[in-house]
Amino acid sequence: MELKLLRVDLSKGSFKDHVIKDEEVRKWLGGRGLGAYLAFKEIPKGIDPLGPKNKIYILTGPITGTQFPESGRYHVIGKSPQSGILGDSNSGGNFGPWLRFSGYDGIVMEGMGAKPQYLSIVEGKPKLHDASHLWGKGLVHTDNKIRKEMSAEKGGSVLGIGPAGENMANVAAIMNDKWRAAGRTGLAAVLGSKKLKAVFVKGTKHPEAVDKEAFSKVAKEKHEKVKNHGVTEALTTYGTAVLVNMVNNIGAWPTRNFSAAVFEKADEISGETLAEKYLIKPVGCWGCIIKCGRLVRAKTENYDIPEHESPEYETIWANGANCGIGDLPALLKINYLLNDMGMDTISYGNVLGTAMELFEKGKITTEDTGGLELTWGNADAAIELIWRTAHRDGFGDDLAKGTLALAEKYGDPEAAITTRGMGLAAYDPRAMKGFAVAYATSNRGEGHLRSYPVTWALLGIPKSIDPLKENGEKVDLNIYQQNLFIVIDSVVCCKFNGFSLDHTDITDALAPFTGWNITPDELMETGERLYNMERMFSVREGKYIKDELPKRLIETPIPEGPAKGHTAAHADKMIKEFWEKRGWVEGKPKKETLERLALGEFTQYL
Amino acid sequence: MPINVKFFATFRDLLGLKELELEVGPEETLKLIDLLERLFQKFGEEFRNKILENGNIRPQVNIMINGRNIKFLDEINSPLKDSDIVAIFPPVAGG
């Protein structure tokens, strides 16, 4: 099969088609894998992520927008202004499938526009439009306005950036369908630097399998498998935030910028409470049967929040427990505003939690914050700073640069709980030991979606392993999932398939869709190839090559709860074992590893 | 001090409550399965079937005693004592 990309030169306002041949698709798949390969080849070493030589790849994959379950996603890749290495992020909603229906499997944004523009692709025809009237506007207005201009009340999809992306905040998120985010690594700032406000896609060209009958049969079987799996019911009923109480219960919920691991108000901001008080109905991405999204509305004494898609597990954690905020309506308000301003809810929670810690320590004062008391749990300050961060106003400019830059500026770099410059997610690796490997070895930094130790620590997939146990089996499982998840991000479907399906299921579907005589082993070797190739971007860049965890997690024990006294001192040993098993030295693939994986062209960069 | 039993996710809907307390006599030795049997008597067969399969805890049902999963303690024979907190979760997942 072939993938057709649209190359948009924003400097010249011109378009060019780029067809990725079958042989290349089989080697790099699509989405994250293909994007990383193209980024490596086309983005020169050492360039400014916010300069004209950076590119943004918005890609689907072979099975996006098909009958395969949970295939309504897309992936974004580019050099990250937050980390300075390869950045990427994935989003659901409707954009991925509609991009394919528009006649293209992906878009490459190149150069820099002189004025704000938005791109439309309708039935295979691309067009750039003036977007001066949308610059400075939030995502809700932008989506509504573009739909009106494109006469698209129904169908089609809008991807866009908000004021945070326009003002090139490192914490900015690419949004689509108003509430869905390719949030991590700050690639919205790159679109902002290119003055590309939005993309509208619509069309009727549905991707077709080589063997339609066989693919349809396989897709239906996999649907049943996902539908009947135990975790699906809980995700449908309570959304991703169903995990809040469980992770908190085992004492692994990072609290107040990782100074504790049990949050006393967890149940008040849990998926159960959200469903009980504010849920209108579950909503899903295109073609989704799980429907983990939540349509909510909240009207309380303090807040009146319109109907919108509610915060996910990670958002509730980052802005809740991580900042000491236990007020669910306040978190709904925070989520609504962050989405509308186009900001990554995790990165905002990361940087706010760090700022609150520094304020409590007296390293940041009200003189710095413009009078705001950044004490733990101050929801009003969290809400106020959203606008200031998106517009880089006063102290908001410090927050816009991200956790690491903030902690360094105020003289306490160890308060930045990051890997590769990216703030960590909602699991404490001192209490869930497998996350030490997951966070330290993730190519883009952070990494709760690069491998997912929750599956074996809490779900028994593929088997149950004590979260407090330190052993090599967790290294093996991290490697397996890193290879599997990059395949999922590259054929481009949802990782929630990963609870009920594995690489054999994806192979079953990929073979009839593409016509390839592919085996599960080849697919997993492809995953390994992609993971190694992705790492080579950092190797060539000479930045963030070595895998390591933040000092606080290695040295400071958890003060209370079921994991009291535990640290992540085990990380060093497990990381060394990881390198050995991957065929790497100090975070760098060996020459023979690259050659074994048909990556010989990359050995010159070692 | 009684044992505190907490229910989560779909179990809250099924049972219509978030938590309850079970008194334990001062000399009484109790295992998790004894506590579960008391709960099954109170809440009926549907709850039993959601928790047990062939006499064991169903895969992906998680029961924690003071935050430690019974899979890594002594399974259904894990001992209980005064003031313990037992948390019972149906299959959940997130991200």
Side-chain angles (χ1 to χ4, degrees):
Chain A
M1 75 167 298
E2 293 179 339
L3 294 175
K4 188 166 96 170
L5 312 186
L6 175 71
R7 286 186 178 269
V8 183
D9 185 332
L10 291 160
S11 301
K12 296 177 185 161
S14 62
F15 306 109
K16 201 163 84 178
D17 285 358
H18 176 186
V19 175
I20 309 292
K21 301 284 184 202
D22 181 82
E23 189 185 319
E24 291 176 288
V25 178
R26 189 154 177 175
K27 191 166 183 182
W28 313 114
L29 295 179
R32 182 174 150 202
L34 177 65
Y37 177 69
L38 294 175
F40 192 98
K41 303 295 276 186
E42 298 174 6
I43 299 173
K45 175 187 174 182
I47 58 119
D48 175 5
L50 300 176
K53 289 186 178 168
N54 200 5
K55 297 187 184 188
I56 289 291
Y57 304 83
I58 303 170
L59 302 178
T60 64
I63 57 172
T64 307
T66 67
Q67 284 174 285
F68 190 74
E70 318 306 320
S71 63
R73 301 192 72 88
Y74 69 96
H75 213 87
V76 186
I77 304 97
K79 186 173 182 182
S80 163
Q82 197 171 5
S83 64
I85 56 172
L86 191 68
D88 71 280
S89 199
N90 188 286
S91 179
N94 303 311
F95 187 83
W98 281 105
L99 172 58
R100 289 199 97 180
F101 305 160
S102 82
Y104 284 95
D105 301 303
I107 308 169
V108 187
M109 299 294 182
E110 307 176 345
M112 289 179 111
K115 58 173 188 173
Q117 298 178 98
Y118 76 86
L119 169 74
S120 68
I121 312 175
V122 178
E123 298 293 1
K125 289 184 186 147
K127 189 179 172 188
L128 282 165
H129 309 251
D130 177 55
S132 305
H133 60 303
L134 298 171
W135 208 247
K137 305 293 187 193
L139 268 308
V140 174
H141 175 86
T142 300
D143 195 294
N144 291 339
K145 188 78 179 163
I146 289 179
R147 283 189 169 279
K148 206 170 173 187
E149 289 174 12
M150 299 306 300
S151 306
E153 261 181 52
K154 284 185 178 175
S157 174
V158 179
L159 167 154
I161 61 168
E166 294 169 14
N167 294 313
M168 292 177 268
N170 284 345
V171 296
I174 295 171
M175 305 295 298
N176 59 281
D177 306 296
K178 296 178 185 171
W179 314 114
R180 291 279 158 177
R184 305 243 69 189
T185 71
L187 296 178
V190 181
L191 287 184
S193 74
K194 296 183 181 307
K195 292 201 166 42
L196 197 281
K197 175 69 179 177
V199 180
F200 173 79
V201 284
K202 197 176 179 188
T204 51
K205 191 180 181 305
H206 289 255
E208 286 186 0
V210 170
D211 186 341
K212 287 181 200 165
E213 202 179 317
F215 176 72
S216 185
K217 186 168 172 275
V218 169
K220 280 176 191 156
E221 279 170 22
K222 306 308 175 193
H223 258 279
E224 286 303 304
K225 216 168 162 180
V226 173
K227 199 171 147 189
N228 297 325
H229 195 269
V231 300
T232 302
E233 184 188 1
L235 275 172
T236 306
T237 312
Y238 297 107
T240 55
V242 71
L243 211 52
V244 166
N245 276 319
M246 187 180 248
V247 178
N248 193 59
N249 193 273
I250 64 166
W253 218 38
T255 298
R256 296 180 181 84
N257 202 30
F258 288 78
S259 61
V262 177
F263 185 47
E264 66 280 4
K265 293 181 178 175
D267 197 29
E268 292 170 41
I269 57 175
S270 66
E272 289 94 328
T273 303
L274 188 71
E276 184 190 330
K277 295 190 172 172
Y278 307 111
L279 179 69
I280 298 170
K281 62 174 183 179
V283 287
C285 302
W286 181 91
C288 176
I289 48 175
I290 297 175
K291 293 184 169 45
C292 68
R294 320 273 85 193
L295 190 68
V296 294
R297 164 89 170 92
K299 193 168 182 180
T300 68
E301 196 181 327
N302 296 322
Y303 305 103
D304 186 356
I305 308 147
E307 222 173 79
H308 73 290
E309 282 192 36
S310 80
E312 303 285 348
Y313 168 73
E314 286 289 341
T315 307
I316 286 178
W317 164 74
N319 299 278
N322 193 49
C323 297
I325 297 173
D327 177 347
L328 189 53
L331 291 172
L332 295 183
K333 178 87 177 177
I334 288 168
N335 180 64
Y336 182 92
L337 292 174
L338 286 172
N339 283 338
D340 195 41
M341 290 291 107
M343 256 191 282
D344 173 25
T345 57
I346 303 179
S347 293
Y348 183 74
N350 290 145
V351 73
L352 188 66
T354 304
M356 285 177 164
E357 177 182 326
L358 297 177
F359 187 90
E360 294 276 359
K361 285 174 170 173
K363 293 186 177 182
I364 288 175
T365 67
T366 49
E367 278 186 31
D368 302 305
T369 64
L372 292 172
E373 298 277 343
L374 275 187
T375 47
W376 292 123
N378 187 344
D380 289 343
I383 291 167
E384 172 58 28
L385 281 167
I386 293 171
W387 191 92
R388 295 194 200 179
T389 303
H391 293 83
R392 307 190 74 147
D393 179 64
F395 186 65
D397 186 51
D398 285 341
L399 298 188
K401 289 171 184 161
T403 306
L404 189 55
L406 179 92
E408 283 172 348
K409 176 175 175 178
Y410 289 97
D412 193 353
E414 287 171 20
I417 309 301
T418 59
T419 56
R420 295 188 163 84
M422 294 283 302
L424 299 191
Y427 310 93
D428 196 312
R430 295 171 291 189
M432 294 175 86
K433 306 284 187 189
F435 269 104
V437 179
Y439 288 144
T441 67
S442 161
N443 286 332
R444 75 165 186 195
E446 187 266 304
H448 73 289
L449 292 172
R450 304 292 134 141
S451 50
Y452 195 51
V454 170
T455 60
W456 60 81
L458 294 174
L459 309 179
I461 303 169
K463 61 191 266 199
S464 294
I465 308 177
D466 188 343
L468 290 175
K469 201 170 159 190
E470 301 162 14
N471 70 358
E473 201 175 7
K474 291 181 180 175
V475 175
D476 297 329
L477 286 166
N478 266 294
I479 291 173
Y480 168 75
Q481 285 191 338
Q482 285 173 343
N483 294 346
L484 175 65
F485 286 6
I486 199 168
V487 164
I488 290 176
D489 283 341
S490 300
V491 300
V492 189
C493 59
C494 181
K495 288 202 182 78
F496 283 178
N497 279 336
F499 298 131
S500 44
L501 306 180
D502 65 17
H503 63 288
T504 62
D505 297 294
I506 296 171
T507 313
D508 289 346
L510 209 53
F513 193 85
T514 60
W516 303 335
N517 181 25
I518 189 169
T519 63
D521 285 348
E522 181 190 327
L523 190 69
M524 287 311 288
E525 186 179 284
T526 303
E528 188 185 2
R529 176 187 310 120
L530 299 181
Y531 205 83
N532 276 267
M533 181 264 293
E534 206 178 46
R535 174 59 60 104
M536 288 305 294
F537 195 98
S538 294
V539 172
R540 185 182 63 177
E541 205 69 22
K543 190 175 184 193
Y544 290 137
I545 300 169
K546 205 172 167 189
D547 303 288
E548 48 199 4
L549 271 191
K551 197 174 167 195
R552 174 176 299 174
L553 305 182
I554 292 169
E555 294 182 355
T556 311
I558 289 178
E560 60 186 357
K564 183 179 176 179
H566 281 263
T567 69
H570 63 290
D572 191 45
K573 190 179 163 213
M574 284 172 85
I575 290 166
K576 283 185 177 130
E577 191 175 336
F578 174 91
W579 290 338
E580 179 74 28
K581 286 177 170 168
R582 274 233 179 257
W584 292 5
V585 178
E586 300 282 316
K588 206 184 272 194
K590 289 181 191 170
K591 186 167 180 278
E592 56 264 36
T593 304
L594 294 179
E595 284 169 346
R596 176 175 61 79
L597 295 167
L599 293 171
E601 63 183 303
F602 291 85
T603 57
Q604 61 182 302
Y605 303 105
L606 287 171
Chain B
M1 288 284 285
I3 291 172
N4 181 225
V5 186
K6 293 175 184 284
F7 304 101
F8 295 94
T10 46
F11 288 155
R12 286 187 180 177
D13 295 336
L14 181 69
L15 308 180
L17 80 170
K18 289 183 182 179
E19 62 184 308
L20 57 78
E21 292 187 337
L22 281 179
E23 290 295 339
V24 185
E27 300 300 317
E28 196 177 1
T29 55
L30 199 67
K31 290 178 177 175
L32 177 70
I33 188 64
D34 304 324
L35 176 137
L36 289 175
E37 283 298 341
R38 287 195 201 178
L39 295 176
F40 298 151
Q41 278 170 26
K42 187 175 172 65
F43 296 114
E45 282 307 294
E46 189 182 353
F47 184 53
R48 177 192 294 273
N49 293 334
K50 295 262 182 195
I51 299 280
L52 293 183
E53 185 179 58
N54 303 324
N56 289 313
I57 305 294
R58 282 182 171 276
Q60 293 157 9
V61 165
N62 283 294
I63 301 179
M64 321 287 185
I65 300 174
N66 303 323
R68 292 288 290 147
N69 199 316
I70 57 144
K71 287 173 187 165
F72 316 120
L73 300 172
D74 203 4
E75 300 268 3
I76 56 174
N77 294 315
S78 302
L80 291 169
K81 59 181 187 316
D82 286 1
S83 309
D84 278 348
I85 297 171
V86 177
I88 306 180
F89 294 87
V92 301

